Amino acid sequence: MTDQGETTTQPAELLREARALLPDIIAVRRAVHRHPEVGAHLPQTQKQVLDALAGLPLTLTTGRRLSSLTATLDGARPGPTILLRADMDALPLSEETGLEYASQLPGAMHACGHDLHTSMLVGACRLLAARRSQLPGRVVFMFQPAEEKGGGAAHMIDEGVLDTADGKGVDAAFAMHVTTRFESGTVHLRPGPTYAAADQIHITVRGHGGHAAAPHRALDPIPVACAIVGALQTMVTRSVDVFDPAVVTIARIEAGTTTNIIPETAELHGTFRTLTPATREAVRTRIERTARHIAAAHGAEAEVTLVEGYPPLLNDPDFTAAAHRAATALLGPGAVFDLPDPVMGAEDFSYVLQRVPGTMAVLGARPSGIPAEGTADCHSNRVVFDEAAMATGIALHAAVALEHLTG
């Protein structure tokens, strides 16, 4: 750094500092991992983060409706504002990794890497706070509950996470998601649609019950439900552009009570995933129409309820290019890749990117010596991440923030 107030931090310096921080950050990660909390209320996780940030020159704000935490680092002079985000909530499943720091709470586990996300952002707070006297603008660190379910990002937006004291607000945003699909420490970026919208399907088929030995005297809803499942798959392949894809999955079917009774109803429950608003609306319309008309063709009725979930996550092309430059300068071109395809999972960071330009990168965290094929990944109760990848994540958060604030 120069005496003239210009930030001259070299990428190699960020990486060296991030690696030096790694033992402390691993300790934070393991503490969070041992005590997972699910949903919007994460008091223990929030306290662990507050303890890890103690002594830093940050303005801290906790959420009113959920256990969120916003930490703001004001630079020494005016400038833009960038938001860096990490999600903190765990998943409702029981861990089977055998790790010595495995979850101590049966039925809850950090199986999606949010404990890494949270810990990496703590590390980024430390790296950037050390540069505060030379920093223009500000950095908003968004520690978010309820990503897996509940739309915590939308609640934090409602409570002002994108607002700033000068009234100008956040003007860019960045986040990362870890995966074991890719080699540890590699970064993968993609402009445009990157994570899918996730909406729920609930269909009740109504027929007439009767004796299983005399189906002609009843109106069996089960064959109708099966016909709807098949027709929905055909609907996708025949009416959705393969270059703007959709996924429709019926994941649960419920009907009947025993072997010799035709039930009155059959229920279908599932999800549909899309990448653009136009396809999302078209698929929604076609699901309703297909279910109702297939049921009518059998003389039955179908009640269709579609519950809107997270919107698609759209990475801003210009900001993604800037993040790509920062990652390449930090890691070299051999560790930075174009993400070839969207991920059909959902991410509520999409609510932030609806408001401000930004991007979500994918950070490889597969343990060394383990082949990609067959490796447990996010949402598996056997997933194991390489903690060394967090040094890359810490440095990348800082590098992207500096690229935006000083570039």
Side-chain angles (χ1 to χ4, degrees):
M1 299 182 188
T2 69
D3 292 336
Q4 287 75 32
E6 296 180 357
T7 303
T8 59
T9 299
Q10 297 300 311
E13 183 182 344
L14 290 175
L15 265 180
R16 280 195 303 271
E17 292 183 26
R19 287 167 180 159
L21 285 174
L22 190 56
D24 286 346
I25 298 305
I26 287 175
V28 173
R29 184 257 166 155
R30 292 185 178 188
V32 172
H33 190 91
R34 285 189 184 98
H35 304 284
E37 295 175 295
V38 177
H41 300 290
L42 320 176
Q44 186 167 357
T45 306
Q46 184 190 63
K47 183 180 185 303
Q48 288 170 325
V49 174
L50 284 167
D51 290 345
L53 299 180
L56 298 180
L58 302 167
T59 302
L60 301 174
T61 305
T62 55
R64 297 187 297 276
R65 287 179 290 172
L66 65 172
S67 302
S68 61
L69 174 64
T70 302
T72 302
L73 177 67
D74 288 303
R77 60 189 189 275
T81 299
I82 186 169
L83 178 145
L84 304 176
R85 177 269 205 165
D87 37 12
M88 303 191 296
D89 55 321
L91 282 163
L93 73 169
S94 295
E95 183 163 354
E96 294 183 9
T97 63
L99 295 169
E100 61 91 9
Y101 55 87
S103 169
Q104 296 180 4
L105 180 64
M109 175 192 175
H110 272 290
C112 199
H114 295 187
D115 50 337
L116 281 80
H117 302 168
T118 298
S119 306
M120 291 189 300
L121 196 58
V122 168
C125 287
R126 295 181 184 181
L127 280 192
L128 291 168
R131 291 160 170 76
R132 179 174 178 261
S133 64
Q134 305 295 333
L135 202 65
R138 66 180 57 81
V139 184
V140 176
F141 302 93
M142 176 182 179
F143 292 92
Q144 180 212 310
E147 190 282 322
E148 293 294 348
K149 185 177 181 181
H155 291 298
M156 289 189 71
I157 291 169
D158 289 343
E159 293 191 355
V161 73
L162 299 181
D163 302 329
T164 56
D166 62 4
K168 295 180 180 179
V170 168
D171 50 54
F174 179 70
M176 278 178 276
H177 205 299
V178 295
T179 180
T180 62
R181 291 170 53 207
F182 301 129
E183 183 182 347
S184 183
T186 59
V187 174
H188 305 257
L189 290 148
R190 172 188 171 84
T194 302
Y195 284 81
D199 300 316
Q200 296 177 25
I201 304 167
H202 304 281
I203 300 170
T204 300
V205 179
R206 297 193 180 280
H208 302 297
H211 200 293
H216 60 289
R217 294 177 182 160
L219 176 51
D220 192 345
I222 294 177
V224 182
C226 293
I228 290 172
V229 173
L232 289 176
Q233 303 312 307
T234 302
M235 177 273 292
V236 171
T237 63
R238 298 287 72 126
S239 65
V240 176
D241 186 345
V242 295
F243 297 107
D244 185 6
V247 172
V248 176
T249 297
I250 299 300
R252 189 166 95 242
I253 300 177
E254 297 180 353
T257 57
T258 189
T259 59
N260 63 350
I261 298 174
I262 292 173
E264 291 280 324
T265 63
E267 294 185 0
L268 308 175
H269 305 276
T271 182
F272 67 101
R273 307 296 175 101
T274 52
L275 292 170
T276 63
T279 296
R280 187 184 196 186
E281 183 56 35
V283 170
R284 181 183 185 89
T285 298
R286 289 165 185 159
I287 288 172
E288 292 182 357
R289 183 176 63 205
T290 298
R292 289 186 175 127
H293 288 190
I294 291 291
H298 288 79
E301 296 181 354
E303 298 176 3
V304 182
T305 301
L306 303 178
V307 180
E308 187 174 284
Y310 299 163
L313 186 145
L314 308 177
N315 284 339
D316 178 76
D318 291 338
F319 191 90
T320 302
H324 198 289
R325 289 193 300 271
T328 302
L330 183 73
L331 304 170
V336 184
F337 301 90
D338 294 329
L339 188 66
D341 302 306
V343 178
M344 297 310 283
E347 238 296 341
D348 80 342
F349 188 58
S350 54
Y351 290 118
V352 174
L353 297 188
Q354 284 183 327
R355 304 289 190 97
V356 298
T359 201
M360 171 170 271
V362 177
L363 175 63
R366 185 172 69 246
S368 62
I370 299 177
E373 187 172 347
T375 301
D377 200 7
C378 297
H379 288 229
S380 167
N381 61 353
R382 299 184 307 278
V383 65
V384 176
F385 298 102
D386 180 21
E387 294 176 317
M390 292 194 293
T392 299
I394 292 165
L396 184 57
H397 269 308
V400 170
L402 293 170
E403 169 79 16
H404 181 70
L405 298 179
T406 65

